[in-house]
Amino acid sequence: MLDAATTALLRAILDEVCESLSPHDTGARTYVASKLLEAAIGGETTPDHLKQIGREALSERPTMWR
């Protein structure tokens, strides 16, 4: 389980990375959140690296139009 500080960090990074998304694009936001959570559970807590992971997830997210 992640501590409160890490959870807050992940939420802030998720909001920052997904700020350009439509509020209705919950699928993309969920995908990015899952990748960030996976990285944090694996021990990654560096904000810059987590942002990079989030941006990469956003660019590679599956969509129904690809």
Side-chain angles (χ1 to χ4, degrees), residues 2-13 45 50:
L2 300 174
D3 62 26
T6 303
T7 302
L9 174 64
L10 291 176
R11 183 175 299 278
I13 290 171
T45 58
L50 287 169

Side-chain angles (χ1 to χ4, degrees), residues 2 6 11 19 36 38-40 44 55 64:
L2 300 174
T6 303
R11 183 175 299 278
E19 70 185 356
L36 289 171
E38 182 180 295
E44 183 57 60
R55 287 186 199 107
M64 61 187 249

Side-chain angles (χ1 to χ4, degrees), residues 6-28:
T6 303
T7 302
L9 174 64
L10 291 176
R11 183 175 299 278
I13 290 171
L14 177 64
D15 288 344
E16 180 180 331
V17 169
C18 295
E19 70 185 356
S20 65
L21 291 177
S22 162
H24 304 290
D25 198 351
T26 57

